[in-house]
Amino acid sequence: MTSLSPPRHPRSPRRLPAALAGATAGALVLGLAAFPARAESGTGAPLGTVARTVGDAHYEPGPCPRTADPIPDLARARCGTLTVPENRSRHKGRKITLAVAIIPAAAKRRAPDPIVWLAGGPGDDAVSEIPMALAGGLDRDRDLVFMSQRGTYSADPELTCPNIDAFNARALGLVSNAPSTGRLHVEATRECRDRVASQGADRSAYNDIESSADYDALRRTLGVAKWNVFGISYGTHLALNYMRLHPKGIRAVGIDGVLPPSIAGGAVTWKAAREGFDGLFKACEEQPACATRYPHLKDTFLRLVSELEARPVTTTVTVPDRPEPVKVVLDGGNLVGWLTSATHVAAGVPRSLDELAHGNPQRIAEQLAGGKYSPQAMGRVAHGLVYGIFCSQWTPYESRADVIRGGRRAFPSFPRSMPANAPQLAWLHDDCRAWDVPAAPPSIRDVTRSDIPTLLLSGGFDAQTAPSNGAYAARTLSRSVAVTVPYVAHVVFADSTCAQTMTVSFFDRPDAPDTRCLAGLRPPAFEIAP
């Protein structure tokens, strides 16, 4: 199991980074309420500095949470914990604790309504994404609220499963779609399930329904009348459910890398891969130097997938901080997985595919191994939350046959061994049988219908959540703007100053986000090998 989130580190124009594993729909109306001149807790004290109990939730100020990597800005944060029921249907069940960090606005005169950040994944910790939010200027004049979603790294219990991450790395040396690989995949999932069970966690309580209630509880215990929501990747999935389940108190919503809960699963993941790949291939075709040096790039890729699936290529590569070379089997499944992430560094993709087509797999193999064996890929993702969502909200409502149909529709030339395992979702139905949680209510797949002002951002090269998903979700959001930022991959806020400008302007004026920067965007200069 892998995360849907974008890579977490700056990209090089020549190599994938080590951490690779993340239209207007109606007239907008400004929905502001009357607030004091700064974000406060409801008592006049700075946001997050007052203990408060509301219903079955309690917020307590306290130390900032532990993080896997240093986050210097936590030194100026106001932190605490939110304690909530693990399962709200069990009146005397156990409590869980979620870490909270509030970054004060940079401006002295701040807007009254803070922004709460919903992390990607599923399974990423929002606190770890503070640097991304600040790099995009989201804290310009608003306090930013980060809460570790239930099960994530800074929460208690922490439902990470390092054995899954270690297996994902070792699996690079296995044939992706072989039944024997599937059996090992499920064994790793069972080990994770047993680890989660040993912590006393209720596996059925880690889902969007409970998490949405957690965020509503946080808003109320912080004394915030209305706030804004910004979600990336899986965080868009959670945001759309949050809007539907707890709309009160939400002023405006920005979502980036849109994954609507109503269609989430393997079929739309195949669709995303096709749209993102096609966007990149088209950009190469339209750039004379790229088209001349790498003609028919799309056909080359499709041919390579089929050839490698039939006759995989095995090689070894060196990985930083590992004494021995690691084995990489480059087959059709791994090639598709590589390109799904490599759209983040699109400039080097044509050259990499060309080298592979001429018998040199090293560049792609090194990039695959560098991501899977990176320290940032180990022990960070809350697989207990990942499987809780996938296995209660996705697989009960999408069959394996649905995924296969989606794969064949997107890539009709792919071999028969491939469509059942969508990128990043390999062996999902088998894993979910092992995870063994009940289906969420069918309403979890309902389309979100709302008049909350919403900005939907997509990337033209996004191979993880389809660029067309934004327009799909916007159809039932009556006060929304859906924008596709060309030439950018999954989660445009992380890589595009234009997307950052639009997002900040949207929270200032939800009726009129500033989209003028779109007109000046240009495709990447693709690498041209000698």
Side-chain angles (χ1 to χ4, degrees):
M1 187 63 57
T2 54
S3 168
L4 295 177
S5 291
R8 297 177 174 87
H9 295 281
R11 285 99 189 172
S12 159
R14 296 186 58 83
R15 309 296 268 191
L16 289 184
L20 267 179
T24 302
L28 290 170
V29 180
L30 191 63
L32 294 173
F35 293 102
R38 57 178 294 181
E40 295 176 340
S41 66
T43 64
L47 189 65
T49 60
V50 176
R52 181 185 281 107
T53 298
V54 179
D56 54 15
H58 176 74
Y59 175 80
E60 184 69 34
C64 288
R66 72 183 185 111
T67 58
D69 297 306
I71 300 178
D73 283 285
L74 282 176
R76 63 186 180 92
R78 300 187 292 267
C79 297
T81 55
L82 180 73
T83 301
V84 294
E86 183 179 46
N87 188 328
R88 289 175 171 84
S89 69
R90 298 178 180 174
H91 300 299
K92 294 186 178 180
R94 76 170 186 169
K95 302 281 189 175
I96 61 175
T97 301
L98 313 177
V100 178
I102 300 169
I103 302 292
K108 291 183 179 179
R109 182 171 179 82
R110 65 197 67 190
D113 41 287
I115 299 172
V116 62
W117 178 280
L118 305 187
D124 289 353
D125 190 328
V127 175
S128 73
E129 295 178 350
I130 287 174
M132 187 193 306
L134 299 184
L138 211 56
D139 65 330
R140 187 191 66 187
D141 56 5
R142 281 181 168 81
D143 288 352
L144 302 185
V145 181
F146 300 84
M147 181 172 73
S148 300
Q149 190 179 351
R150 53 176 53 211
T152 58
Y153 187 87
S154 301
D156 184 12
E158 168 210 339
L159 303 184
T160 57
C161 286
N163 77 290
I164 296 281
D165 305 319
F167 174 77
N168 286 339
R170 293 196 307 275
L172 286 177
L174 305 174
V175 176
S176 299
N177 295 304
S180 57
T181 301
R183 288 191 290 272
L184 292 172
H185 204 285
V186 174
E187 285 180 15
T189 299
R190 288 197 185 99
E191 182 180 338
C192 177
R193 179 199 64 194
D194 293 345
R195 181 181 190 273
V196 168
S198 72
Q199 296 175 269
D202 179 351
R203 296 193 307 280
S204 69
Y206 291 80
N207 54 51
D208 281 9
I209 296 172
E210 293 288 0
S211 289
S212 293
D214 294 342
Y215 280 97
D216 186 58
L218 177 64
R219 179 187 62 79
R220 291 182 291 116
T221 57
L222 289 177
V224 175
K226 280 188 179 290
W227 65 9
N228 305 282
V229 176
F230 187 68
I232 64 165
S233 190
Y234 157 72
T236 70
H237 184 288
L238 177 57
L240 287 164
N241 270 328
Y242 177 32
M243 291 168 69
R244 185 174 60 82
L245 296 169
H246 300 279
K248 183 180 179 182
I250 302 177
R251 171 184 175 262
V253 176
I255 50 178
D256 180 358
V258 182
L259 183 61
S262 56
I263 58 172
V268 76
T269 302
W270 277 123
K271 181 172 179 280
R274 184 58 187 260
E275 291 185 19
F277 297 171
D278 283 355
L280 191 157
F281 296 145
K282 185 172 184 290
C284 176
E285 291 170 6
E286 293 175 347
Q287 194 169 114
C290 189
T292 300
R293 180 64 179 81
Y294 310 112
H296 313 297
L297 187 64
K298 178 178 177 179
D299 293 341
T300 298
F301 168 73
L302 295 174
R303 173 177 59 80
L304 285 169
V305 169
S306 293
E307 291 178 354
L308 289 169
E309 189 68 5
R311 294 177 296 279
V313 171
T314 301
T315 187
T316 59
V317 298
T318 57
V319 176
D321 301 323
R322 293 188 66 87
E324 301 296 330
V326 299
K327 177 182 174 183
V328 176
V329 173
L330 198 55
D331 55 21
N334 274 336
L335 184 59
V336 170
W338 164 78
L339 187 53
T340 300
S341 292
T343 53
H344 285 280
V345 282
V349 165
R351 180 176 179 178
S352 295
L353 288 173
D354 183 69
E355 289 183 4
L356 178 62
H358 287 86
N360 182 3
Q362 291 304 110
R363 183 174 164 105
I364 290 176
E366 288 172 1
Q367 293 168 353
L368 278 168
K372 294 295 187 182
Y373 282 93
S374 165
Q376 286 76 29
M378 300 290 173
R380 310 287 183 91
V381 173
H383 293 284
L385 177 60
V386 174
Y387 287 126
I389 292 160
F390 289 175
C391 301
S392 69
Q393 301 179 209
W394 293 16
T395 58
Y397 301 104
E398 182 187 56
S399 69
R400 186 173 181 270
D402 292 331
V403 178
I404 293 172
R405 281 192 293 270
R408 289 176 177 164
R409 188 163 52 246
F411 296 99
S413 70
F414 278 9
R416 292 179 62 85
S417 58
M418 293 187 61
N421 285 327
Q424 306 181 86
L425 300 175
W427 311 104
L428 184 56
H429 282 79
D430 301 300
D431 284 336
C432 284
R433 281 192 291 273
W435 197 252
D436 190 24
V437 290
S443 59
I444 200 66
R445 303 286 287 192
D446 284 354
V447 169
T448 299
R449 303 180 185 277
S450 177
D451 62 359
I452 297 171
T454 307
L455 174 67
L456 304 98
L457 296 172
S458 301
F461 290 174
D462 187 351
Q464 294 174 261
T465 55
S468 62
N469 285 355
Y472 168 86
R475 296 180 309 167
T476 54
L477 302 173
S478 62
R479 295 153 65 183
S480 65
V481 174
V483 175
T484 296
V485 182
Y487 319 124
V488 187
H490 185 55
V491 181
V492 294
F493 186 87
D495 287 322
S496 167
T497 56
C498 179
Q500 294 164 0
T501 296
M502 284 190 289
T503 302
V504 173
S505 73
F506 168 74
F507 287 120
D508 283 348
R509 298 184 61 192
D511 59 333
D514 184 358
T515 62
R516 291 173 296 177
C517 59
L518 290 167
L521 299 180
R522 298 290 180 267
F526 290 101
E527 291 181 35
I528 306 300

